[in-house]
Amino acid sequence: AKELLNINNLTIHYITDDGTVKAVNGIDIKLNEGETLGLVGETGAGKTTTALGIMRLVPNPPGKIINGSIEFEGRNLLDISEEEMRMIRGNKISMIFQDPMTSLNPVMTVGEQIAEVIEIHQNVSKQEAMKKAEEMLELVGIPATRVNDYPHQFSGGMKQRVIIAIALACNPKLLIADEPTTALDVTIQAQVLDLMNNLKEEFKTAMILITHDLGVVAEVCDKVAIMYAGEIVETASLEQLFENPRHPYTVGLFGSIPNLEEEVDRLKPIKGLMPDPTNLPKGCKFHPRCPYAKDICSKQEPKITEIENGHKVKCLIYEGLVDAEVKR
Ligand code: SF4
């Protein structure tokens, strides 16, 4: 498969009066065309900031991309003009935000909102764009006859379908979905996930799915990156991660979840709190909460170790510097 996205050493900070919030600290992400990556972690781990970074939508000030590169189809998005970026946004890369209720314009019909994106990015007439909007509605399971309805005439799950239709209207190469089902109830969640899975197959869209829900990951993702305190601490294929989680934080998150076949649950709370992002611990950022931590963990920052093909862990145990066997 062809490489689509290659993020290298991405570092994003927010400069505030209370100090520098170190939201994203040198992360690497690779994604091939058509692949789905689950970006998993607790609130405050830096997942949404990473997504905003890829879209170049980090609010500045106070946000600032300090370091790194985001290569998309071989070009560094951090080097191109704002005008070029505007053409990529919504066209080649689109994003679905957490709350479907606030992402739609209440005074425009859903058809107009889908057609608007198509008109901006494709050289078509208003009439053709509306026709395409009807097709997109059908694709996400909404009858085309509802093209002239307003958002308030739809339920939460239907609104999220409209948002997916907008996001996919230009057949993007990459879709970033930030907790796309969190605001929905469980049955509707499952329907929306099914829909995303089908569309992924049909459109061959690569996806970054941001979530704290391991059930969602198991349902949709090919590979997974676990984030903690602005770093990626473990990257693996879906199977590798569920069958053989290696980072103490990942193992903690999984709690008692044994494997893919059994019912998965929400992330288990881990003892202790996420560190203050303006004052991150030295050494391994997880050391204050890690049951395996040794003295060296508070002094030396772990490197990323590849323990099997494509399975990488950022922990001193796998550098042979801490003697412990991680078990769940
Ligand atoms: Fe735990 Fe040390 Fe590994 Fe960090 S480096 S996860 S503190 S064992």
Side-chain angles (χ1 to χ4, degrees):
K2 229 176 118 199
E3 183 176 281
L4 181 70
L5 182 73
N6 187 352
I7 299 179
N8 241 299
N9 196 27
L10 183 65
T11 306
I12 307 174
H13 293 170
Y14 296 96
I15 320 288
T16 74
D17 290 344
D18 298 327
T20 300
V21 176
K22 296 182 173 160
V24 175
N25 299 302
I27 63 165
D28 299 336
I29 291 176
K30 271 190 186 173
L31 196 64
N32 287 335
E33 287 185 347
E35 245 180 355
T36 299
L37 170 79
L39 196 55
V40 180
E42 293 164 285
T43 305
K47 301 173 302 222
T48 299
T49 301
T50 301
L52 292 174
I54 299 170
M55 296 289 281
R56 261 183 50 185
L57 289 174
V58 175
N60 177 7
K64 202 164 185 255
I65 297 181
I66 303 285
N67 211 337
S69 59
I70 303 173
E71 271 176 32
F72 177 75
E73 294 187 315
R75 295 175 74 204
N76 184 359
L77 297 182
L78 300 182
D79 282 344
I80 66 177
S81 68
E82 180 49 40
E83 175 140 6
E84 277 178 285
M85 194 59 214
R86 226 176 293 135
M87 290 316 293
I88 288 176
R89 242 182 256 134
N91 189 20
K92 292 200 157 198
I93 308 178
S94 45
M95 185 159 171
I96 299 174
F97 294 92
Q98 191 159 353
D99 186 359
M101 316 313 156
T102 56
S103 312
L104 291 171
N105 184 337
V107 299
M108 276 169 85
T109 68
V110 295
E112 284 168 342
Q113 296 186 54
I114 303 170
E116 189 181 44
V117 187
I118 299 167
E119 271 184 84
I120 292 173
H121 292 293
Q122 294 175 6
N123 201 7
V124 297
S125 68
K126 191 165 186 126
Q127 213 178 357
E128 280 171 274
M130 278 307 269
K131 195 158 169 289
K132 180 95 198 283
E134 289 183 11
E135 284 170 28
M136 287 308 301
L137 280 181
E138 292 274 355
L139 255 177
V140 297
I142 297 175
T145 48
R146 301 204 58 182
V147 70
N148 294 321
D149 287 356
Y150 289 88
H152 71 87
Q153 293 169 283
F154 291 87
S155 66
M158 294 283 258
K159 279 193 199 124
Q160 195 59 306
R161 284 168 190 266
V162 172
I163 287 162
I164 293 170
I166 294 173
L168 293 177
C170 290
N171 197 1
K173 290 274 186 164
L174 174 64
L175 176 67
I176 304 173
D178 189 358
E179 305 270 9
T181 58
T182 306
L184 307 172
D185 76 50
V186 179
T187 346
I188 309 294
Q189 262 185 27
Q191 290 172 8
V192 170
L193 285 179
D194 271 352
L195 172 70
M196 289 179 75
N197 252 337
N198 294 339
L199 294 174
K200 185 179 96 180
E201 298 288 309
E202 182 154 348
F203 284 81
K204 306 262 177 287
T205 312
M207 242 194 310
I208 296 178
L209 187 74
I210 295 175
T211 184
H212 60 274
D213 189 331
L214 289 169
V216 171
V217 171
E219 192 92 13
V220 188
C221 300
D222 306 310
K223 50 186 205 178
V224 192
I226 306 284
M227 271 193 100
Y228 185 79
E231 296 178 347
I232 291 177
V233 295
E234 183 159 4
T235 315
S237 73
L238 186 67
E239 288 74 19
Q240 284 168 339
L241 195 90
F242 275 75
E243 274 158 28
N244 190 22
R246 294 282 86 201
H247 194 282
Y249 177 65
T250 313
V251 172
L253 281 184
F254 273 49
S256 58
I257 302 162
N259 60 48
L260 263 179
E261 281 74 48
E262 298 190 27
E263 188 120 328
V264 281
D265 205 344
R266 299 225 153 211
L267 301 187
K268 288 261 152 100
I270 296 175
K271 250 205 225 148
L273 294 173
M274 278 271 260
D276 172 1
T278 64
N279 186 20
L280 291 172
K282 295 226 162 32
C284 170
K285 296 181 176 60
F286 187 56
H287 84 255
R289 295 170 80 182
C290 180
Y292 305 97
K294 296 272 164 20
D295 276 354
I296 188 175
C297 299
S298 58
K299 296 180 190 111
Q300 184 161 331
E301 188 179 333
K303 293 195 194 73
I304 292 167
T305 309
E306 183 158 18
I307 54 168
E308 54 180 323
N309 191 19
H311 191 171
K312 297 177 186 168
V313 190
K314 190 174 176 170
C315 165
L316 294 170
I317 293 173
Y318 304 97
E319 292 182 50
L321 296 170
V322 169
D323 189 19
E325 201 193 327
V326 180
K327 285 210 201 83
R328 56 179 161 187

